[in-house]
Amino acid sequence: MTALQGEADAPIRYTTVAMFLHWAVAIIIVLNVAIALTLDYMPDGWIRAAVDLHKSFGITVIGLVLLHLLWRYANPPPPLPVSYSPWERRIAKAAHIILYTLILAMPISGWLHDSAWNLAAQFPMKLYFLVPWPRIGPIENLDPVTKEKLHTIFGFAHEYLAYVLYGVVALHIAGALKHQFIDRHPQLERMMGWLNRRPTRF
Ligand code: HEM
């Protein structure tokens, strides 16, 4: 069997579950960044609820990404087309590892930042205003001076990781668009199954 025949037989899309998890995480991250960056322009009465929603979305992302990784382990993604050059394969793989790491590092740094907040006890966390959610115990139980320092450090980490995330997401989108429109490989349908009715093997 030639490599091209192998490619023709291979699944061409991610599974429906993988697509759902990918787009759910992408949409929640966009909403979360939008909430964080518009806090300064919101009426005072909205800010507490907006920050609580931001935290809830972030914790949801941790759960969805862990589910996605488990799903990916059990259902390997469709292979990259054979027309990809070795450097494109290496970049695509590295970008995916960096993306997963950043997408987990963002909410974890936010959770650490929030757990080191000296006023945390006065503002208990509730997921979606309903479900009580813990702070990270070993951080929450430190003395106030250490917590203040950590609060600043984790806050910086949360802010600067976001800048890196913007850059990697931009590269990820640029790569997908290059394959679709410049190289003319129908790549978007791998993660946007609704774009094409070609039968998938799943
Ligand atoms: C997908 C996950 C997340 C993303 C993409 C995200 C993104 C951001 C961004 C872009 C900022 C603004 C940083 C700045 O310019 O200062 C921010 C602020 C913040 N984030 Fe997150 N975040 C996430 C998850 C979380 C989680 C899980 C928590 C806490 C449990 C959290 C707590 C905070 C807090 C307390 C702030 C500061 C808000 C303020 O200005 O008062 N974040 N986040």
Side-chain angles (χ1 to χ4, degrees):
M1 184 172 64
T2 66
L4 277 174
Q5 278 169 329
E7 187 183 33
D9 285 347
I12 55 168
R13 283 177 220 143
Y14 284 85
T15 58
T16 307
V17 174
M19 284 189 233
F20 170 78
L21 290 169
H22 172 277
W23 289 111
V25 166
I27 291 167
I28 296 176
I29 288 179
V30 169
L31 289 176
N32 233 12
V33 169
I35 293 175
L37 299 184
T38 50
L39 281 176
D40 286 348
Y41 309 98
M42 289 182 192
D44 287 351
W46 292 17
I47 291 180
R48 196 64 269 140
V51 173
D52 286 348
L53 190 61
H54 176 88
K55 295 176 189 175
S56 302
F57 278 157
I59 298 294
T60 307
V61 165
I62 300 180
L64 291 177
V65 172
L66 293 179
L67 262 181
H68 196 164
L69 286 172
L70 279 175
W71 182 263
R72 189 181 170 105
Y73 179 72
N75 302 271
L80 292 174
V82 284
S83 51
Y84 270 45
S85 62
W87 70 267
E88 282 176 315
R89 284 169 191 278
R90 278 199 294 274
I91 292 205
K93 189 165 182 206
H96 289 163
I97 294 173
I98 295 171
L99 264 175
Y100 277 116
T101 309
L102 278 172
I103 290 171
L104 278 175
M106 271 314 294
I108 291 172
S109 60
W111 196 7
L112 285 164
H113 171 63
D114 187 57
S115 302
W117 183 31
N118 273 321
L119 295 182
Q122 290 166 43
F123 298 95
M125 243 182 96
K126 276 195 174 171
L127 287 190
Y128 301 102
F129 314 104
L130 289 173
V131 184
W133 189 260
R135 260 62 182 235
I136 300 171
I139 304 285
E140 194 182 18
N141 298 331
L142 291 169
D143 65 275
V145 178
T146 314
K147 280 210 291 194
E148 191 55 46
K149 284 187 194 142
L150 288 179
H151 187 248
T152 309
I153 294 171
F154 292 137
F156 271 124
H158 197 55
E159 180 180 349
Y160 284 94
L161 281 169
Y163 299 138
V164 183
L165 181 69
Y166 304 151
V168 181
V169 168
L171 279 178
H172 175 73
I173 295 172
L177 294 179
K178 170 188 178 285
H179 289 301
Q180 181 79 15
F181 297 111
I182 298 180
D183 301 342
R184 303 241 165 236
H185 298 141
Q187 289 297 278
L188 294 185
E189 70 183 76
R190 280 162 67 83
M191 206 32 116
M192 300 168 115
W194 59 91
L195 286 183
N196 194 300
R197 298 290 81 195
R198 277 202 282 165
T200 167
R201 287 209 335 193
F202 289 176

PDB file of all heavy atoms in Angstrom, residues 29 32-33 36-37 39 51 54-55 58-59 61 106-107 110-111 113-114 125 158-159 162-163 165-166, ligand 1:
ATOM      1  N   ILE A  29     -12.351  30.153  26.468  1.00  0.00           N
ATOM      2  CA  ILE A  29     -11.141  30.965  26.658  1.00  0.00           C
ATOM      3  C   ILE A  29     -11.353  32.370  26.084  1.00  0.00           C
ATOM      4  O   ILE A  29     -11.000  33.376  26.720  1.00  0.00           O
ATOM      5  CB  ILE A  29      -9.918  30.267  26.024  1.00  0.00           C
ATOM      6  CG1 ILE A  29      -9.548  29.068  26.888  1.00  0.00           C
ATOM      7  CG2 ILE A  29      -8.735  31.235  25.904  1.00  0.00           C
ATOM      8  CD1 ILE A  29      -8.379  28.272  26.390  1.00  0.00           C
ATOM      9  N   ASN A  32     -13.437  34.205  28.452  1.00  0.00           N
ATOM     10  CA  ASN A  32     -12.726  34.514  29.696  1.00  0.00           C
ATOM     11  C   ASN A  32     -11.751  35.666  29.525  1.00  0.00           C
ATOM     12  O   ASN A  32     -11.608  36.517  30.403  1.00  0.00           O
ATOM     13  CB  ASN A  32     -11.984  33.263  30.201  1.00  0.00           C
ATOM     14  CG  ASN A  32     -12.351  32.980  31.628  1.00  0.00           C
ATOM     15  OD1 ASN A  32     -13.302  33.582  32.141  1.00  0.00           O
ATOM     16  ND2 ASN A  32     -11.627  32.107  32.276  1.00  0.00           N
ATOM     17  N   VAL A  33     -11.067  35.685  28.377  1.00  0.00           N
ATOM     18  CA  VAL A  33     -10.143  36.803  28.109  1.00  0.00           C
ATOM     19  C   VAL A  33     -10.967  38.081  27.965  1.00  0.00           C
ATOM     20  O   VAL A  33     -10.615  39.133  28.512  1.00  0.00           O
ATOM     21  CB  VAL A  33      -9.298  36.514  26.839  1.00  0.00           C
ATOM     22  CG1 VAL A  33      -8.543  37.753  26.405  1.00  0.00           C
ATOM     23  CG2 VAL A  33      -8.338  35.344  27.094  1.00  0.00           C
ATOM     24  N   ALA A  36     -11.935  39.308  31.373  1.00  0.00           N
ATOM     25  CA  ALA A  36     -10.798  39.865  32.134  1.00  0.00           C
ATOM     26  C   ALA A  36     -10.397  41.233  31.587  1.00  0.00           C
ATOM     27  O   ALA A  36     -10.100  42.146  32.356  1.00  0.00           O
ATOM     28  CB  ALA A  36      -9.611  38.895  32.075  1.00  0.00           C
ATOM     29  N   LEU A  37     -10.411  41.378  30.268  1.00  0.00           N
ATOM     30  CA  LEU A  37      -9.909  42.627  29.694  1.00  0.00           C
ATOM     31  C   LEU A  37     -10.945  43.752  29.702  1.00  0.00           C
ATOM     32  O   LEU A  37     -10.612  44.897  29.410  1.00  0.00           O
ATOM     33  CB  LEU A  37      -9.390  42.390  28.259  1.00  0.00           C
ATOM     34  CG  LEU A  37      -8.220  41.392  28.160  1.00  0.00           C
ATOM     35  CD1 LEU A  37      -7.708  41.306  26.735  1.00  0.00           C
ATOM     36  CD2 LEU A  37      -7.080  41.742  29.117  1.00  0.00           C
ATOM     37  N   LEU A  39     -12.987  44.193  32.496  1.00  0.00           N
ATOM     38  CA  LEU A  39     -13.366  44.460  33.896  1.00  0.00           C
ATOM     39  C   LEU A  39     -13.271  45.950  34.233  1.00  0.00           C
ATOM     40  O   LEU A  39     -14.151  46.494  34.907  1.00  0.00           O
ATOM     41  CB  LEU A  39     -12.439  43.693  34.849  1.00  0.00           C
ATOM     42  CG  LEU A  39     -12.714  42.197  35.054  1.00  0.00           C
ATOM     43  CD1 LEU A  39     -11.648  41.591  35.956  1.00  0.00           C
ATOM     44  CD2 LEU A  39     -14.104  41.964  35.630  1.00  0.00           C
ATOM     45  N   VAL A  51     -15.870  38.645  37.886  1.00  0.00           N
ATOM     46  CA  VAL A  51     -14.653  37.916  38.290  1.00  0.00           C
ATOM     47  C   VAL A  51     -15.027  36.492  38.701  1.00  0.00           C
ATOM     48  O   VAL A  51     -14.326  35.530  38.358  1.00  0.00           O
ATOM     49  CB  VAL A  51     -13.911  38.665  39.427  1.00  0.00           C
ATOM     50  CG1 VAL A  51     -12.750  37.824  39.964  1.00  0.00           C
ATOM     51  CG2 VAL A  51     -13.385  40.000  38.946  1.00  0.00           C
ATOM     52  N   HIS A  54     -15.527  34.533  35.637  1.00  0.00           N
ATOM     53  CA  HIS A  54     -14.208  34.279  35.044  1.00  0.00           C
ATOM     54  C   HIS A  54     -13.554  33.064  35.720  1.00  0.00           C
ATOM     55  O   HIS A  54     -13.027  32.180  35.052  1.00  0.00           O
ATOM     56  CB  HIS A  54     -13.352  35.542  35.232  1.00  0.00           C
ATOM     57  CG  HIS A  54     -11.938  35.426  34.762  1.00  0.00           C
ATOM     58  ND1 HIS A  54     -11.551  35.695  33.466  1.00  0.00           N
ATOM     59  CD2 HIS A  54     -10.802  35.061  35.402  1.00  0.00           C
ATOM     60  CE1 HIS A  54     -10.249  35.516  33.346  1.00  0.00           C
ATOM     61  NE2 HIS A  54      -9.761  35.129  34.512  1.00  0.00           N
ATOM     62  N   LYS A  55     -13.629  33.035  37.047  1.00  0.00           N
ATOM     63  CA  LYS A  55     -13.029  31.904  37.775  1.00  0.00           C
ATOM     64  C   LYS A  55     -13.752  30.602  37.423  1.00  0.00           C
ATOM     65  O   LYS A  55     -13.128  29.557  37.218  1.00  0.00           O
ATOM     66  CB  LYS A  55     -13.087  32.153  39.284  1.00  0.00           C
ATOM     67  CG  LYS A  55     -12.236  33.347  39.727  1.00  0.00           C
ATOM     68  CD  LYS A  55     -12.409  33.608  41.224  1.00  0.00           C
ATOM     69  CE  LYS A  55     -11.756  34.915  41.627  1.00  0.00           C
ATOM     70  NZ  LYS A  55     -12.001  35.255  43.044  1.00  0.00           N
ATOM     71  N   GLY A  58     -12.765  29.415  34.065  1.00  0.00           N
ATOM     72  CA  GLY A  58     -11.383  28.899  34.091  1.00  0.00           C
ATOM     73  C   GLY A  58     -11.314  27.491  34.665  1.00  0.00           C
ATOM     74  O   GLY A  58     -10.640  26.606  34.114  1.00  0.00           O
ATOM     75  N   ILE A  59     -12.032  27.247  35.762  1.00  0.00           N
ATOM     76  CA  ILE A  59     -12.021  25.902  36.368  1.00  0.00           C
ATOM     77  C   ILE A  59     -12.672  24.902  35.396  1.00  0.00           C
ATOM     78  O   ILE A  59     -12.225  23.765  35.247  1.00  0.00           O
ATOM     79  CB  ILE A  59     -12.776  25.915  37.723  1.00  0.00           C
ATOM     80  CG1 ILE A  59     -12.074  26.854  38.718  1.00  0.00           C
ATOM     81  CG2 ILE A  59     -12.913  24.500  38.299  1.00  0.00           C
ATOM     82  CD1 ILE A  59     -10.702  26.429  39.165  1.00  0.00           C
ATOM     83  N   VAL A  61     -12.491  25.035  32.235  1.00  0.00           N
ATOM     84  CA  VAL A  61     -11.478  24.729  31.203  1.00  0.00           C
ATOM     85  C   VAL A  61     -10.558  23.610  31.694  1.00  0.00           C
ATOM     86  O   VAL A  61     -10.228  22.688  30.929  1.00  0.00           O
ATOM     87  CB  VAL A  61     -10.674  26.003  30.834  1.00  0.00           C
ATOM     88  CG1 VAL A  61      -9.400  25.653  30.076  1.00  0.00           C
ATOM     89  CG2 VAL A  61     -11.544  26.932  29.995  1.00  0.00           C
ATOM     90  N   MET A 106      -2.833  28.523  32.290  1.00  0.00           N
ATOM     91  CA  MET A 106      -3.623  29.749  32.509  1.00  0.00           C
ATOM     92  C   MET A 106      -4.559  29.603  33.715  1.00  0.00           C
ATOM     93  O   MET A 106      -4.463  30.372  34.659  1.00  0.00           O
ATOM     94  CB  MET A 106      -4.456  30.087  31.270  1.00  0.00           C
ATOM     95  CG  MET A 106      -3.811  30.958  30.222  1.00  0.00           C
ATOM     96  SD  MET A 106      -2.975  32.384  30.833  1.00  0.00           S
ATOM     97  CE  MET A 106      -4.283  33.381  31.495  1.00  0.00           C
ATOM     98  N   PRO A 107      -5.483  28.616  33.691  1.00  0.00           N
ATOM     99  CA  PRO A 107      -6.385  28.539  34.854  1.00  0.00           C
ATOM    100  C   PRO A 107      -5.668  28.146  36.133  1.00  0.00           C
ATOM    101  O   PRO A 107      -6.046  28.604  37.209  1.00  0.00           O
ATOM    102  CB  PRO A 107      -7.417  27.481  34.439  1.00  0.00           C
ATOM    103  CG  PRO A 107      -6.830  26.748  33.291  1.00  0.00           C
ATOM    104  CD  PRO A 107      -5.860  27.676  32.624  1.00  0.00           C
ATOM    105  N   GLY A 110      -4.196  31.203  37.561  1.00  0.00           N
ATOM    106  CA  GLY A 110      -5.279  32.042  38.089  1.00  0.00           C
ATOM    107  C   GLY A 110      -5.765  31.517  39.433  1.00  0.00           C
ATOM    108  O   GLY A 110      -5.990  32.275  40.377  1.00  0.00           O
ATOM    109  N   TRP A 111      -5.863  30.196  39.514  1.00  0.00           N
ATOM    110  CA  TRP A 111      -6.343  29.564  40.761  1.00  0.00           C
ATOM    111  C   TRP A 111      -5.314  29.774  41.888  1.00  0.00           C
ATOM    112  O   TRP A 111      -5.676  30.053  43.035  1.00  0.00           O
ATOM    113  CB  TRP A 111      -6.567  28.076  40.473  1.00  0.00           C
ATOM    114  CG  TRP A 111      -7.382  27.327  41.472  1.00  0.00           C
ATOM    115  CD1 TRP A 111      -8.072  27.818  42.551  1.00  0.00           C
ATOM    116  CD2 TRP A 111      -7.583  25.914  41.492  1.00  0.00           C
ATOM    117  NE1 TRP A 111      -8.692  26.808  43.226  1.00  0.00           N
ATOM    118  CE2 TRP A 111      -8.409  25.620  42.585  1.00  0.00           C
ATOM    119  CE3 TRP A 111      -7.152  24.865  40.671  1.00  0.00           C
ATOM    120  CZ2 TRP A 111      -8.802  24.311  42.896  1.00  0.00           C
ATOM    121  CZ3 TRP A 111      -7.550  23.569  40.973  1.00  0.00           C
ATOM    122  CH2 TRP A 111      -8.365  23.304  42.074  1.00  0.00           C
ATOM    123  N   HIS A 113      -3.173  32.288  42.012  1.00  0.00           N
ATOM    124  CA  HIS A 113      -3.248  33.736  42.302  1.00  0.00           C
ATOM    125  C   HIS A 113      -4.406  34.006  43.264  1.00  0.00           C
ATOM    126  O   HIS A 113      -4.263  34.702  44.270  1.00  0.00           O
ATOM    127  CB  HIS A 113      -3.451  34.428  40.954  1.00  0.00           C
ATOM    128  CG  HIS A 113      -3.760  35.882  40.997  1.00  0.00           C
ATOM    129  ND1 HIS A 113      -2.900  36.820  41.502  1.00  0.00           N
ATOM    130  CD2 HIS A 113      -4.855  36.583  40.544  1.00  0.00           C
ATOM    131  CE1 HIS A 113      -3.446  38.029  41.379  1.00  0.00           C
ATOM    132  NE2 HIS A 113      -4.633  37.905  40.804  1.00  0.00           N
ATOM    133  N   ASP A 114      -5.536  33.395  42.971  1.00  0.00           N
ATOM    134  CA  ASP A 114      -6.733  33.609  43.777  1.00  0.00           C
ATOM    135  C   ASP A 114      -6.588  32.979  45.168  1.00  0.00           C
ATOM    136  O   ASP A 114      -7.056  33.522  46.169  1.00  0.00           O
ATOM    137  CB  ASP A 114      -7.928  32.996  43.033  1.00  0.00           C
ATOM    138  CG  ASP A 114      -9.236  33.328  43.706  1.00  0.00           C
ATOM    139  OD1 ASP A 114      -9.528  34.529  43.865  1.00  0.00           O
ATOM    140  OD2 ASP A 114      -9.961  32.398  44.095  1.00  0.00           O
ATOM    141  N   MET A 125     -15.237  30.951  46.938  1.00  0.00           N
ATOM    142  CA  MET A 125     -15.470  30.695  45.506  1.00  0.00           C
ATOM    143  C   MET A 125     -16.662  29.784  45.313  1.00  0.00           C
ATOM    144  O   MET A 125     -16.803  28.789  46.025  1.00  0.00           O
ATOM    145  CB  MET A 125     -14.229  30.003  44.927  1.00  0.00           C
ATOM    146  CG  MET A 125     -13.515  30.795  43.872  1.00  0.00           C
ATOM    147  SD  MET A 125     -12.136  29.832  43.247  1.00  0.00           S
ATOM    148  CE  MET A 125     -12.896  29.120  41.793  1.00  0.00           C
ATOM    149  N   HIS A 158       0.011  34.820  35.564  1.00  0.00           N
ATOM    150  CA  HIS A 158      -1.293  34.712  34.892  1.00  0.00           C
ATOM    151  C   HIS A 158      -1.364  35.714  33.732  1.00  0.00           C
ATOM    152  O   HIS A 158      -1.789  35.386  32.631  1.00  0.00           O
ATOM    153  CB  HIS A 158      -2.374  34.998  35.936  1.00  0.00           C
ATOM    154  CG  HIS A 158      -3.753  34.548  35.550  1.00  0.00           C
ATOM    155  ND1 HIS A 158      -4.059  33.272  35.188  1.00  0.00           N
ATOM    156  CD2 HIS A 158      -4.938  35.245  35.490  1.00  0.00           C
ATOM    157  CE1 HIS A 158      -5.349  33.174  34.918  1.00  0.00           C
ATOM    158  NE2 HIS A 158      -5.913  34.361  35.087  1.00  0.00           N
ATOM    159  N   GLU A 159      -0.877  36.927  33.991  1.00  0.00           N
ATOM    160  CA  GLU A 159      -0.940  37.975  32.958  1.00  0.00           C
ATOM    161  C   GLU A 159       0.001  37.651  31.791  1.00  0.00           C
ATOM    162  O   GLU A 159      -0.392  37.715  30.627  1.00  0.00           O
ATOM    163  CB  GLU A 159      -0.558  39.313  33.600  1.00  0.00           C
ATOM    164  CG  GLU A 159      -0.601  40.462  32.618  1.00  0.00           C
ATOM    165  CD  GLU A 159      -0.228  41.793  33.271  1.00  0.00           C
ATOM    166  OE1 GLU A 159      -0.136  41.881  34.518  1.00  0.00           O
ATOM    167  OE2 GLU A 159      -0.022  42.757  32.499  1.00  0.00           O
ATOM    168  N   ALA A 162      -0.852  34.783  29.547  1.00  0.00           N
ATOM    169  CA  ALA A 162      -1.923  35.148  28.596  1.00  0.00           C
ATOM    170  C   ALA A 162      -1.304  35.724  27.319  1.00  0.00           C
ATOM    171  O   ALA A 162      -1.743  35.400  26.217  1.00  0.00           O
ATOM    172  CB  ALA A 162      -2.884  36.154  29.229  1.00  0.00           C
ATOM    173  N   TYR A 163      -0.227  36.554  27.454  1.00  0.00           N
ATOM    174  CA  TYR A 163       0.395  37.114  26.247  1.00  0.00           C
ATOM    175  C   TYR A 163       0.970  35.989  25.383  1.00  0.00           C
ATOM    176  O   TYR A 163       0.866  36.008  24.160  1.00  0.00           O
ATOM    177  CB  TYR A 163       1.498  38.119  26.604  1.00  0.00           C
ATOM    178  CG  TYR A 163       0.993  39.315  27.385  1.00  0.00           C
ATOM    179  CD1 TYR A 163       1.701  39.833  28.458  1.00  0.00           C
ATOM    180  CD2 TYR A 163      -0.219  39.929  27.039  1.00  0.00           C
ATOM    181  CE1 TYR A 163       1.227  40.917  29.183  1.00  0.00           C
ATOM    182  CE2 TYR A 163      -0.694  41.014  27.755  1.00  0.00           C
ATOM    183  CZ  TYR A 163       0.029  41.501  28.827  1.00  0.00           C
ATOM    184  OH  TYR A 163      -0.444  42.572  29.542  1.00  0.00           O
ATOM    185  N   LEU A 165      -0.038  32.934  25.359  1.00  0.00           N
ATOM    186  CA  LEU A 165      -1.188  32.199  24.794  1.00  0.00           C
ATOM    187  C   LEU A 165      -1.707  32.909  23.532  1.00  0.00           C
ATOM    188  O   LEU A 165      -1.968  32.274  22.512  1.00  0.00           O
ATOM    189  CB  LEU A 165      -2.302  32.071  25.841  1.00  0.00           C
ATOM    190  CG  LEU A 165      -3.547  31.305  25.400  1.00  0.00           C
ATOM    191  CD1 LEU A 165      -3.240  29.819  25.215  1.00  0.00           C
ATOM    192  CD2 LEU A 165      -4.679  31.441  26.423  1.00  0.00           C
ATOM    193  N   TYR A 166      -1.816  34.251  23.580  1.00  0.00           N
ATOM    194  CA  TYR A 166      -2.314  34.969  22.400  1.00  0.00           C
ATOM    195  C   TYR A 166      -1.410  34.656  21.191  1.00  0.00           C
ATOM    196  O   TYR A 166      -1.888  34.418  20.087  1.00  0.00           O
ATOM    197  CB  TYR A 166      -2.324  36.500  22.598  1.00  0.00           C
ATOM    198  CG  TYR A 166      -3.101  36.999  23.801  1.00  0.00           C
ATOM    199  CD1 TYR A 166      -2.749  38.186  24.451  1.00  0.00           C
ATOM    200  CD2 TYR A 166      -4.196  36.298  24.295  1.00  0.00           C
ATOM    201  CE1 TYR A 166      -3.448  38.656  25.548  1.00  0.00           C
ATOM    202  CE2 TYR A 166      -4.894  36.766  25.403  1.00  0.00           C
ATOM    203  CZ  TYR A 166      -4.516  37.934  26.023  1.00  0.00           C
ATOM    204  OH  TYR A 166      -5.199  38.395  27.113  1.00  0.00           O
TER     205      TYR A 166
HETATM  206  C1  HEM B   1      -8.957  29.626  30.602  1.00  0.00           C
HETATM  207  C2  HEM B   1      -8.604  30.096  31.737  1.00  0.00           C
HETATM  208  C3  HEM B   1      -8.242  31.535  32.009  1.00  0.00           C
HETATM  209  C4  HEM B   1      -7.870  32.535  31.154  1.00  0.00           C
HETATM  210  C5  HEM B   1      -7.668  32.459  29.632  1.00  0.00           C
HETATM  211  C6  HEM B   1      -7.655  33.720  31.970  1.00  0.00           C
HETATM  212  C7  HEM B   1      -7.249  34.944  31.462  1.00  0.00           C
HETATM  213  C8  HEM B   1      -7.049  36.059  32.237  1.00  0.00           C
HETATM  214  C9  HEM B   1      -6.580  37.325  31.746  1.00  0.00           C
HETATM  215  C10 HEM B   1      -6.217  37.633  30.291  1.00  0.00           C
HETATM  216  C11 HEM B   1      -6.542  38.185  32.793  1.00  0.00           C
HETATM  217  C12 HEM B   1      -6.095  39.650  32.765  1.00  0.00           C
HETATM  218  C13 HEM B   1      -4.645  39.696  33.161  1.00  0.00           C
HETATM  219  C14 HEM B   1      -4.155  41.119  33.196  1.00  0.00           C
HETATM  220  O1  HEM B   1      -3.972  41.705  32.110  1.00  0.00           O
HETATM  221  O2  HEM B   1      -3.951  41.619  34.319  1.00  0.00           O
HETATM  222  C15 HEM B   1      -7.006  37.474  33.958  1.00  0.00           C
HETATM  223  C16 HEM B   1      -7.148  38.028  35.215  1.00  0.00           C
HETATM  224  C17 HEM B   1      -7.540  37.324  36.343  1.00  0.00           C
HETATM  225  N1  HEM B   1      -7.823  35.987  36.424  1.00  0.00           N
HETATM  226 FE1  HEM B   1      -7.848  34.702  34.871  1.00  0.00          FE
HETATM  227  N2  HEM B   1      -7.914  33.407  33.275  1.00  0.00           N
HETATM  228  C18 HEM B   1      -8.269  32.081  33.358  1.00  0.00           C
HETATM  229  C19 HEM B   1      -8.591  31.373  34.492  1.00  0.00           C
HETATM  230  C20 HEM B   1      -8.658  31.883  35.774  1.00  0.00           C
HETATM  231  C21 HEM B   1      -8.994  31.119  36.978  1.00  0.00           C
HETATM  232  C22 HEM B   1      -9.319  29.630  37.009  1.00  0.00           C
HETATM  233  C23 HEM B   1      -8.950  31.991  38.003  1.00  0.00           C
HETATM  234  C24 HEM B   1      -9.219  31.753  39.471  1.00  0.00           C
HETATM  235  C25 HEM B   1      -9.722  30.666  39.997  1.00  0.00           C
HETATM  236  C26 HEM B   1      -8.600  33.289  37.473  1.00  0.00           C
HETATM  237  C27 HEM B   1      -8.478  34.440  38.227  1.00  0.00           C
HETATM  238  C28 HEM B   1      -8.150  35.681  37.727  1.00  0.00           C
HETATM  239  C29 HEM B   1      -8.099  36.872  38.523  1.00  0.00           C
HETATM  240  C30 HEM B   1      -8.411  36.988  40.027  1.00  0.00           C
HETATM  241  C31 HEM B   1      -7.716  37.907  37.662  1.00  0.00           C
HETATM  242  C32 HEM B   1      -7.547  39.378  38.010  1.00  0.00           C
HETATM  243  C33 HEM B   1      -8.884  40.051  37.784  1.00  0.00           C
HETATM  244  C34 HEM B   1      -8.802  41.487  38.249  1.00  0.00           C
HETATM  245  O3  HEM B   1      -8.212  42.300  37.514  1.00  0.00           O
HETATM  246  O4  HEM B   1      -9.315  41.732  39.335  1.00  0.00           O
HETATM  247  N3  HEM B   1      -8.417  33.193  36.123  1.00  0.00           N
HETATM  248  N4  HEM B   1      -7.300  36.188  33.603  1.00  0.00           N
END
